């Protein structure tokens, strides 16, 4: 874990951060393959790892269905027995630094003969259906949010359907209009047609965006497999994974919270919600590390009350909404629940439909790293909380966790070059210095005897303080200086008002510069030639790494 301590997003435009270096990826992947192969037979861990083969075969089959459904090209030489690299992110219009890991992973997979799998993390919540865009109006740049769909309540991506097709279709045109006549040709002009071609009322918005991204990656020569996490959770291996934790929840609960306390102490994390929140309890019911997904309510926390023969599923408000068996029968129960095939036998929830369980952040990467990936490619944010996942694998499953890698980068819009320089810090320092030392900013004329006397008196007080050895005397001298400073500041006239005006003016420049130079702008806003060159160069760099 220590090697990731100093991974930070680079400041320089076009810079890429990678840990470890590309030349070490081959060694890490080989070591991970050996690590899985050396898990002792007959242990609980080996039983878990036996399901890796089935999960990988099912993943390929499920990905084929998804590709056919959305008209996505199928990569050559895909086989479940090849090494698998996993990248994943929410299906959103993220910044180019996130996109970098897709191309790095694809380039390395090509050189190693591995398969790149992009897991669409559509079980996470869609917060906004808009993108922040700089708009040029009245001779200046200002931030505006451009919607690609009508606003809607926050829901998991898999439940977010397209409401306004006209809004979706016109998104690229409205983005280009915001950027104005002096704009470049943004990526959105190449990216959006593939999304529009698949758009229809009720389509999953995140899947439309993921498909458009995949089409552009394929056009540029670096496509892999696409598979939504909401599809993988219907598989038997996932249900076995979830059932093994739920049926053993007391041990998982204690291990999870204990490791969190150690993690926060080791890394000096003060927040009680980072890297993830503790699992809580509701009386004798323990919180599960999964979400319960409801058609109307979205995702909800839930708790389990374990009895010898059954498990009671308890909602956040304390209702028992499900009773399920334990042991192997729980797996079959989860298969039906994940597919939404069985109604909920409880009247309090008859107005809604239970769609099954979904993994939370930790259990999602836990599942993907144990059951599917030979090498997991993280961004900077995911790498932080997966240090904790490493310890969970080590302590709960009893074997050394497979290594993961980190890739990110920084690309800024050309507008950053137009951002005006700001001198807020220097101006504030000058104002502060003048406030405490007004005599240094005054040039009294020989005829102004009273001002000369005040300035000289202040200088004498400073000398007196330097020679004083008594604490009470020094305090008294300081009070006299403060009073003289107040009087001397009046001689400066409008100096401080002018400084405040300059500071406010430069603060506005600083805000504009921070906005225009942000690395968080969506990749679809960037110049298409620049981004294509940067991303394909990443792919070539990693494909040549030895």
């Amino acid at each position: 874990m220590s090697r990731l301590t100093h991974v930070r997003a680079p400041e320089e435009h076009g810079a890429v951060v990678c840990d470890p270096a590309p030349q070490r990826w081959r060694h890490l992947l080989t070591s991970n393959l050996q690590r899985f192969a050396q898990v002792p037979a007959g242990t609980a861990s080996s039983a878990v790892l036996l399901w890796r083969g089935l999960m990988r075969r099912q993943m390929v089959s499920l990905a084929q269905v998804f590709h056919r459904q959305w008209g996505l090209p199928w990569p050559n030489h895909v086989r479940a027995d090849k090494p698998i690299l996993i990248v994943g992110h929410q299906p959103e219009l993220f910044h180019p630094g996130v996109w970098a890991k897709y191309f790095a992973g694809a380039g390395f997979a090509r050189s190693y003969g591995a398969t790149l799998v992009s897991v669409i993390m559509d079980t996470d919540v869609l917060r906004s259906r808009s993108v922040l865009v700089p708009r040029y109006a009245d001779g200046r740049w200002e931030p505006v949010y451009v919607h690609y769909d009508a606003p809607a309540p926050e829901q998991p991506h898999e439940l977010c359907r397209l409401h306004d097709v006209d809004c979706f279709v016109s998104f690229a045109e409205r983005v280009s209009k915001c950027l104005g006549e002096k704009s470049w040709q943004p990526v959105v002009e190449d990216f959006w047609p593939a999304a529009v071609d698949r758009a229809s009322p009720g389509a999953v918005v995140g899947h439309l965006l993921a498909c458009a991204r995949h089409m552009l990656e394929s056009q540029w020569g670096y496509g892999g497999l696409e598979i939504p996490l909401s599809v993988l959770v219907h598989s038997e291996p996932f249900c076995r994974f979830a059932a093994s934790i739920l049926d053993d929840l007391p041990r998982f609960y204690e291990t999870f919270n204990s490791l969190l306390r150690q993690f926060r102490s080791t890394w000096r994390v003060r927040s009680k919600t980072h890297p993830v929140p503790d699992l809580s309890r509701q009386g004798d019911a323990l919180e599960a590390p999964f979400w319960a997904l409801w058609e109307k309510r979205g995702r909800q926390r839930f708790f389990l009350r374990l009895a010898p023969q059954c498990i009671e599923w308890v909602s956040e408000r304390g209702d028992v909404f499900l009773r399920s068996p334990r042991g192997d029968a729980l797996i079959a129960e989860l298969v039906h629940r994940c597919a939404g095939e069985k109604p909920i036998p409880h009247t309090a929830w008859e107005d809604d439909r239970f769609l099954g369980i979904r993994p939370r952040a930790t259990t999602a990467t836990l599942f993907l790293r144990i059951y599917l990936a030979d090498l997991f490619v993280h961004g900077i944010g995911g790498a932080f909380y997966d240090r904790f996942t490493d310890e969970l694998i080590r302590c709960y499953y009893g074997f050394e966790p497979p290594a993961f890698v980190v890739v990110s980068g920084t690309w800024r819009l050309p507008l950053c070059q137009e951002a005006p320089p700001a001198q807020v810090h220097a101006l504030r320092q000058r104002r502060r210095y003048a406030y405490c030392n007004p005599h240094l900013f005054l040039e009294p004329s020989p005829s102004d005897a009273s001002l000369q006397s005040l300035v000289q008196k202040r200088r004498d007080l400073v000398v007196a303080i330097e020679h004083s050895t008594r604490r009470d005397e020094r305090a008294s001298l300081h009070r006299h200086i403060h009073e003289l400073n107040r009087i001397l500041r009046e001689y400066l006239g409008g100096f401080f008002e002018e400084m405040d005006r300059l500071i406010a003016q430069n603060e506005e420049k600083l805000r504009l510069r921070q906005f225009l130079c942000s690395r968080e702008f969506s990749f679809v806003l960037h110049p298409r030639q620049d981004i294509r060159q940067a991303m394909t160069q990443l792919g070539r760099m990693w494909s040549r790494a030895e």
Side-chain angles (χ1 to χ4, degrees):
M1 295 194 300
S2 59
R3 68 179 179 86
L4 295 168
T5 303
H6 301 295
V7 176
R8 297 287 186 274
E11 286 295 324
E12 183 182 352
H13 170 71
V16 176
V17 61
C18 175
D19 187 22
Q23 294 78 11
R24 292 201 57 219
W25 284 30
R26 183 175 293 269
H27 169 73
L28 285 182
L29 178 52
T30 303
S31 297
N32 285 351
L33 293 170
Q34 293 173 350
R35 189 167 296 174
F36 283 124
Q38 293 171 356
V39 172
T43 65
S45 299
S46 65
V48 170
L49 298 179
L50 283 175
W51 289 94
R52 276 173 58 85
L54 177 60
M55 182 69 260
R56 292 151 76 93
R57 292 191 296 274
Q58 288 191 2
M59 181 275 299
V60 172
S61 298
L62 293 169
Q64 284 177 327
V65 172
F66 184 78
H67 276 242
R68 283 197 301 268
Q69 176 186 355
W70 290 95
L72 302 180
W74 187 254
N76 296 326
H77 312 300
V78 172
R79 294 210 322 257
D81 59 349
K82 286 187 173 183
I84 291 178
L85 270 72
I86 297 288
V87 296
H89 205 78
Q90 296 83 2
E92 298 171 353
L93 301 178
F94 39 67
H95 63 82
V98 173
W99 212 11
K101 64 185 178 184
Y102 288 79
F103 287 88
F108 177 75
R110 177 183 297 176
S111 71
Y112 196 94
T115 298
L116 178 72
V117 179
S118 168
V119 177
I120 304 168
M121 306 299 284
D122 59 348
T123 57
D124 284 351
V125 170
L126 174 60
R127 306 292 180 187
S128 173
R129 303 185 186 213
S130 64
V131 171
L132 181 64
V133 179
R135 179 175 65 185
Y136 193 73
D138 300 326
R140 64 190 300 272
W141 292 100
E142 61 184 10
V144 295
Y145 283 93
V146 179
H147 285 265
Y148 53 81
D149 193 16
E154 294 182 358
Q155 283 275 57
H157 283 275
E158 61 178 302
L159 300 182
C160 292
R161 306 289 177 171
L162 181 61
H163 299 306
D164 191 336
V165 176
D166 291 338
C167 177
F168 193 82
V169 169
S170 65
F171 173 73
E173 180 183 351
R174 287 181 286 118
V175 166
S176 296
K177 185 177 179 180
C178 282
L179 293 174
E181 295 180 358
K182 53 194 298 188
S183 70
W184 50 93
Q185 290 183 304
V187 172
V188 72
E189 295 181 0
D190 292 340
F191 175 87
W192 207 246
V196 170
D197 289 346
R198 293 163 172 78
S200 62
V204 177
V205 176
H207 293 177
L208 293 174
L209 302 183
C211 289
R213 171 187 51 75
H214 178 86
M215 292 300 294
L216 203 54
E217 291 165 358
S218 298
Q219 290 172 22
W220 294 353
Y222 289 92
L225 299 188
E226 298 287 336
I227 183 73
L229 185 56
S230 63
V231 172
L232 291 176
V233 299
H234 297 312
S235 66
E236 184 178 351
F238 175 81
C239 293
R240 285 188 173 273
F241 162 75
S244 67
I245 291 176
L246 297 179
D247 205 36
D248 187 35
L249 187 55
R251 185 171 76 90
F252 187 91
Y253 175 94
E254 292 297 334
T255 304
F256 187 94
N257 285 349
S258 175
L259 290 175
L260 264 182
R261 289 191 294 271
Q262 295 176 26
F263 182 92
R264 291 179 185 135
S265 174
T266 300
W267 295 98
R268 299 180 181 179
V269 177
R270 295 182 180 180
S271 170
K272 295 300 182 183
T273 60
H274 287 85
V276 291
D278 292 77
L279 295 176
S280 61
R281 61 190 309 147
Q282 202 178 80
D284 58 347
L286 304 179
E287 183 179 0
F290 297 90
W291 299 109
L293 185 65
W294 299 87
E295 191 171 49
K296 297 178 182 178
R297 294 173 177 83
R299 64 184 198 180
Q300 303 276 322
R301 295 190 309 155
F302 69 97
F303 301 77
L304 297 186
R305 186 179 294 119
L306 277 67
Q309 300 301 322
C310 73
I311 300 175
E312 291 184 338
W313 300 48
V314 183
S315 72
E316 287 185 278
R317 64 188 189 187
D319 301 315
V320 176
F321 66 89
L322 180 65
R323 289 181 175 84
S324 63
R326 298 194 63 172
D328 290 340
L330 177 58
I331 298 168
E333 184 83 4
L334 288 180
V335 171
H336 293 303
R337 299 299 180 193
C338 285
E341 296 173 356
K342 294 180 69 175
I344 300 302
H346 197 277
T347 57
W349 297 83
E350 285 178 355
D351 63 327
D352 208 344
R353 188 163 70 100
F354 182 44
L355 302 178
I357 64 172
R358 299 295 185 264
R360 287 157 75 163
T362 303
T363 43
T365 51
L366 192 63
F367 170 69
L368 294 174
R369 290 178 63 190
I370 291 179
Y371 278 75
L372 195 56
D374 293 309
L375 187 64
F376 198 98
V377 186
H378 261 305
I380 291 174
F384 177 74
Y385 73 72
D386 242 16
R387 300 168 183 164
F388 168 70
T389 311
D390 278 350
E391 294 303 311
L392 194 57
I393 294 172
R394 188 175 287 116
C395 296
Y396 185 76
Y397 287 100
F399 62 88
E400 281 300 303
F404 60 87
V405 294
V406 184
V407 178
S408 189
T410 294
W411 286 269
R412 307 187 193 279
L413 293 177
L415 300 177
C416 186
Q417 300 170 9
E418 302 180 21
Q423 300 176 330
V424 176
H425 181 67
L427 288 169
R428 284 176 178 165
Q429 281 189 318
R430 178 175 173 80
R431 189 193 187 285
R432 173 66 178 168
Y433 193 71
Y435 187 87
C436 298
N437 302 276
H439 63 292
L440 299 179
F441 292 78
L442 293 168
E443 295 181 4
S445 64
S447 60
D448 195 344
S450 62
L451 179 57
Q452 286 184 335
S453 174
L454 289 171
V455 170
Q456 186 58 47
K457 185 180 292 186
R458 191 195 184 285
R459 290 171 179 159
D460 293 342
L461 286 171
V462 172
V463 174
I465 288 174
E466 291 175 352
H467 292 84
S468 175
T469 58
R470 291 169 48 193
R471 185 174 179 178
D472 58 340
E473 183 181 41
R474 289 168 64 89
S476 176
L477 292 170
H478 275 294
R479 284 193 295 272
H480 285 303
I481 286 180
H482 290 321
E483 179 60 22
L484 279 175
N485 283 347
R486 184 187 64 77
I487 297 171
L488 289 169
R489 282 194 291 268
E490 296 176 0
Y491 284 89
L492 288 174
F495 174 86
F496 291 102
E497 289 78 4
E498 176 64 14
M499 289 298 297
D500 289 339
R501 187 189 66 80
L502 289 174
I503 290 171
Q505 188 180 77
N506 276 263
E507 285 176 338
E508 180 62 29
K509 288 182 180 180
L510 180 61
R511 283 190 291 269
L512 179 61
R513 183 172 186 81
Q514 290 172 338
F515 168 62
L516 295 180
C517 294
S518 171
R519 69 185 291 269
E520 301 298 324
F521 283 118
S522 168
F523 70 89
V524 301
L525 305 182
H526 286 256
R528 60 186 182 184
Q529 286 302 115
D530 293 355
I531 288 297
R532 178 171 184 170
Q533 181 180 355
M535 295 300 147
T536 54
Q537 184 177 353
L538 274 178
R540 288 192 298 271
M541 184 188 308
W542 261 261
S543 65
R544 293 195 299 265
E546 294 292 342

